[in-house]
Amino acid sequence: MKALREALLATFGPQQVVRVEYVTAFSEPFPFWVWLGTTTDVERDELARDSSAGGRVAEVAGRFGFDALCEGFTVESQETVDRDYAGNWFYRLR
C-alpha cells in the first residue's frame, strides 16, 4: 500500500494532492477506498470535478494488482479537516 500511495502522489501531485489515505474493510478480501488530500478547498473542488480522476485512481491501483479491491475515491482538503474536524483526519475518515 505504501508503493500505491507513492504512485498516487506522483500521479495526482500536479493537481495538488499532498496526502493519500485509505479506508479498508476489516474482512477479506479487504476492499478499500482511496482518499486524496489537497491543501485547500479550491484544490479539492477542482480535482473533484475532474472526470478522469476515478479512472486514473483505478489505473494506478491496477498496476499493483489492487484494481478489484479499490472501490472508489474521495477528495478532501486539509482546510476542511482543520475547520470541521479539529485538524483530525481520523475523525474525517470515520
Side-chain angles (χ1 to χ4, degrees), residues 3-23:
L4 175 58
R5 175 177 283 116
E6 295 303 318
L8 288 167
L9 286 169
T11 299
F12 288 96
Q15 290 178 282
Q16 311 309 312
V17 170
V18 296
R19 179 184 195 108
V20 174
E21 298 288 342
Y22 307 107
V23 175

Side-chain angles (χ1 to χ4, degrees), residues 58-71:
E59 187 273 323
V60 173
R63 285 190 233 156
F64 297 91
F66 296 136
D67 47 328
L69 297 174
C70 182
E71 294 188 332

Side-chain angles (χ1 to χ4, degrees), residues 12-49:
F12 288 96
Q15 290 178 282
Q16 311 309 312
V17 170
V18 296
R19 179 184 195 108
V20 174
E21 298 288 342
Y22 307 107
V23 175
T24 305
F26 291 112
S27 60
E28 288 189 40
F30 303 109
F32 64 94
W33 196 269
V34 173
W35 286 68
L36 302 174
T38 64
T39 302
T40 70
D41 290 349
V42 170
E43 294 164 347
R44 174 202 60 206
D45 295 346
E46 287 176 11
L47 181 53
R49 285 190 297 270

Side-chain angles (χ1 to χ4, degrees), residues 44-87:
R44 174 202 60 206
D45 295 346
E46 287 176 11
L47 181 53
R49 285 190 297 270
D50 180 347
S51 62
S52 73
R56 290 188 292 145
V57 168
E59 187 273 323
V60 173
R63 285 190 233 156
F64 297 91
F66 296 136
D67 47 328
L69 297 174
C70 182
E71 294 188 332
F73 79 104
T74 298
V75 183
E76 187 56 275
S77 73
Q78 186 66 51
E79 189 173 17
T80 292
V81 171
D82 289 344
R83 181 184 59 241
D84 298 345
Y85 299 91

